[in-house]
Amino acid sequence: DVQLQASGGGLVQAGGSLRLSCATSGFTFDSYAIGWFRQAPGKEPEGVACIGSSDEGTTYYADPVKGRFTISSDKDKNTVYLQMNSLKPEDTANYYCAAESLGNDAILCLGYGMDYRGKGTQVTVSS
């Protein structure tokens, strides 16, 4: 079975940091693009940061998080991380991870393809 398990969310004050983890299994990690999405109440899902397959080697960041969030992957652990710094109240959302089989980070983050997604982890940033 395919699994994408997000963890690491929590409550943090504005300006603080969190690191999210997405542990995956059941598919060929190196071949997929994997990324982080978020959805706040009453809003559409947003692709936050995505990383391409090993062959692509590229990353995509949504404009609101550029310079503050960093996505990385650990092939030995089949896990993708999202380091979130300088958090703002508007970053408050449910964050989940997803995977796309073409291996392209932009295709995944811009919503043009998604093969698997997991349940999310809540991030709440207080002002």
Side-chain angles (χ1 to χ4, degrees), residues 57-80:
T58 55
T59 55
Y60 174 95
Y61 293 94
D63 286 343
V65 308
K66 282 181 181 176
R68 300 188 297 124
F69 291 12
T70 303
I71 190 169
S72 61
S73 68
D74 185 332
K75 298 175 186 178
D76 292 335
K77 296 182 178 180
N78 287 356
T79 298
V80 171

Side-chain angles (χ1 to χ4, degrees), residues 21-36:
S21 299
C22 174
T24 74
S25 62
F27 61 96
T28 307
F29 183 84
D30 286 352
S31 299
Y32 279 67
I34 300 174
W36 288 95

Side-chain angles (χ1 to χ4, degrees), residues 48-106:
V48 174
C50 296
I51 187 165
S53 67
S54 296
D55 291 340
E56 291 276 343
T58 55
T59 55
Y60 174 95
Y61 293 94
D63 286 343
V65 308
K66 282 181 181 176
R68 300 188 297 124
F69 291 12
T70 303
I71 190 169
S72 61
S73 68
D74 185 332
K75 298 175 186 178
D76 292 335
K77 296 182 178 180
N78 287 356
T79 298
V80 171
Y81 304 97
L82 185 67
Q83 178 66 43
M84 305 187 294
N85 299 328
S86 303
L87 283 162
K88 305 175 181 180
E90 52 263 43
D91 294 318
T92 295
N94 183 263
Y95 285 71
Y96 59 93
C97 49
E100 180 278 319
S101 60
L102 292 177
N104 186 277
D105 49 292

